[in-house]
């Protein structure tokens, strides 16, 4: 397979909805579709195919063991390739760096609430959820909304960059961990001297970053960031465990929302999935699927969300009885409605209830 043929195959898989592509020499190619890793028919990479990819990424396959690389394809698109060895075999995990950012209205989230938060001039917004819950897309859509409506300087601190912004009304400074800065806390501290209006932090991972983020939100900046937690209460506990002062947090926090992705039936074969036993099974069951959905039975995913709005009463609770915060747990209700509309199986609802 030539490099041009490999690029063409990558573009085809991405156009079919793949979010990740897994290549390894003498193994069938696999792609992640709607959260599931599925094989691609009649596609096996040879060692020479992988060598071409590594060399195109300017990585020597004779000396490197694992490394992140960014590669621009001939159609102008970018991919991120983590190149590595598995039992001595050359391998790659590929993900697109997206230039098309979905409009906020297209995500199926409560846009009025999100807009109410992001159009504030200062404060802290927390987005929480596990890996693969759609947080990056929600953040990108929110920032693009500001890009189209507000003249401001937006600094993003990311690991890695997943969406590429084009300056419109706003001016973006996109910074990536390792290539542009050593760590989030260093970049965040420096950003306060770069005259930002909005700061997006890919993830709060340590005490120093958490405390600088709160200070930035207290001093006239809008700070949007993510925390890994199962629900909004968990994200607040996580910040307090990082020694963030509860009083300061209550003064600057605008709100917290948690999201998950539920899988929607394929538009081509969904009717047969609804008629199957899997539709009402509490345990996840295999669907027959079709070629259109890589035989998974699912075609796309939709975010569902719960949130905490920090009003006067919640500010008081945040400084004391945090578990008593008014928590709008609409996530499961949204999923139950989707099940009743025959758009998702019952197991997708049960998955949320177990969190």
């Amino acid at each position: 397979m030539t490099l041009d043929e490999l690029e063409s195959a990558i573009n085809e898989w991405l156009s079919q909805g793949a979010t990740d592509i897994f290549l390894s020499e003498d193994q069938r190619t696999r792609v992640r579709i709607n959260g599931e890793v599925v094989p691609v028919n009649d596609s096996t990479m040879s060692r020479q195919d992988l060598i071409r990819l590594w060399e195109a990424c300017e990585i020597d396959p004779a000396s490197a063991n694992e490394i992140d690389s960014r590669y621009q394809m001939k159609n102008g698109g970018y991919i991120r390739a983590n190149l590595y060895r598995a039992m001595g075999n050359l391998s790659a995990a590929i993900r697109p760096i997206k230039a098309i950012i979905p409009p906020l209205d297209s995500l199926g989230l409560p846009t009025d609430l999100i807009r109410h938060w992001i159009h504030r001039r200062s404060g802290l917004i927390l987005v929480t959820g596990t890996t693969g819950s759609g947080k990056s897309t929600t953040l990108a859509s929110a920032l693009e909304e500001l890009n189209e409506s507000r003249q401001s300087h937006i600094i993003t601190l990311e690991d890695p960059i997943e969406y590429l912004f084009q300056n419109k009304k706003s001016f973006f400074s996109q910074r990536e961990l390792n290539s542009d800065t050593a760590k989030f806390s260093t970049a965040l501290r420096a950003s306060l001297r770069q005259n930002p209006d909005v700061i997006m932090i890919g993830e709060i991972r340590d005490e120093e970053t958490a405390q600088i983020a709160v200070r930035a939100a207290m001093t006239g900046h809008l700070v949007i960031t993510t925390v890994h937690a199962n629900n909004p209460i968990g994200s607040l506990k996580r910040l307090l465990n990082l020694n963030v002062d509860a009083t300061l947090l209550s003064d600057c926090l605008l709100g917290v929302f948690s999201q998950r992705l539920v899988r929607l039936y394929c538009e081509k074969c969904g009717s047969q999935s609804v008629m199957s036993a899997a539709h009402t099974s509490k345990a996840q069951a295999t669907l027959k699927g079709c070629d259109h959905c890589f035989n998974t039975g699912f075609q796309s995913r939709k975010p569902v969300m719960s949130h905490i709005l920090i009003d006067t009463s919640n500010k008081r609770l945040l400084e004391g009885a945090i578990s008593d915060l008014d928590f709008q747990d609409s996530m499961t209700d949204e999923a139950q409605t989707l099940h009743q509309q025959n758009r998702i199986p019952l197991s997708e609802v049960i998955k949320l209830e177990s969190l």
Side-chain angles (χ1 to χ4, degrees), residues 243-255:
N243 293 320
V244 170
D245 184 272
T247 301
L248 295 180
L249 183 60
S250 69
D251 284 343
C252 70
L253 187 63
L254 300 176

Side-chain angles (χ1 to χ4, degrees), residues 38 77 84 86 125 177 188 230 254 286 288 293 316 331 343:
V38 297
Y84 63 98
I125 301 171
L177 204 65
L188 181 55
N230 283 333
L254 300 176
T286 301
K288 184 177 180 180
C293 60
R316 291 195 299 268
M331 185 183 295
R343 299 178 67 190

